[in-house]
Amino acid sequence: TAVPPKTVVKVSLSALTPSLWCDVAEALALAGVARNIVNNCALQAVTGNALELVLDRAQSTLYNDVARERIVQALHAWFGADIVVAINVGDLPAETAAQRKIRLTEQALQKARSDIENDPNVQLLVAQFAADIDYQSIAPLQSGSGSE
């Protein structure tokens, strides 16, 4: 079945955790390079009105002052306050939004493959016709696909 889109609840800066950061990163009104940069940042620390992020070294080549400023503006708009944002390139202390998306996609794909493999009708077809399952053709249902 399709998964409904996730609703992101706004949290205060002081309540921000690495897991909630992934939700915030995905919900920020950003596009292009700034979107890619923020999705590849992990939360390092929150101290008062200061937010410290770590950008994955492998994704740092496009990081620049323009992208940083767009990210800062989006964070100001999201939290409704002026906050100090530090983005440092380094070793990630937690999962990024991009890494989480890859992990969840892989988990959904593994579940879809398992569901097909364990379906009694598929097992019957495989047994009766010496069929093979084309695992490359299996994909999880996407949210809003209408295929339910």
Side-chain angles (χ1 to χ4, degrees):
T1 61
V3 178
K6 185 174 184 176
T7 302
V8 179
V9 177
K10 287 200 175 188
V11 296
S12 66
L13 187 60
S14 62
L16 196 59
T17 64
S19 179
L20 289 173
W21 163 252
C22 288
D23 294 338
V24 170
E26 290 175 345
L28 292 174
L30 291 168
V33 172
R35 159 67 48 217
N36 186 54
I37 296 297
V38 83
N39 281 346
N40 284 284
C41 284
L43 177 65
Q44 176 73 42
V46 176
T47 309
N49 73 331
L51 176 66
E52 186 179 347
L53 303 173
V54 177
L55 174 59
D56 185 355
R57 285 183 205 283
Q59 301 297 323
S60 65
T61 56
L62 295 178
Y63 182 56
N64 59 41
D65 290 339
V66 173
R68 183 189 184 292
E69 185 55 35
R70 288 182 179 150
I71 292 167
V72 169
Q73 289 173 0
L75 287 166
H76 286 182
W78 178 265
F79 288 108
D82 282 340
I83 58 174
V84 177
V85 180
I87 301 175
N88 303 306
V89 175
D91 297 327
L92 297 172
E95 186 175 54
T96 67
Q99 290 171 330
R100 181 175 74 172
K101 183 177 181 177
I102 291 167
R103 178 179 54 81
L104 293 175
T105 299
E106 183 60 31
Q107 287 174 349
L109 179 58
Q110 291 301 326
K111 182 178 180 329
R113 287 178 176 166
S114 177
D115 289 349
I116 292 290
E117 213 169 51
N118 295 313
D119 183 279
N121 295 319
V122 172
Q123 290 176 346
L124 182 63
L125 290 170
V126 167
Q128 285 186 343
F129 299 105
D132 291 321
I133 298 172
D134 180 4
Y135 289 98
Q136 297 301 316
S137 69
I138 299 173
L141 291 176
Q142 297 298 315
S143 176
S145 67
S147 305
E148 299 181 69

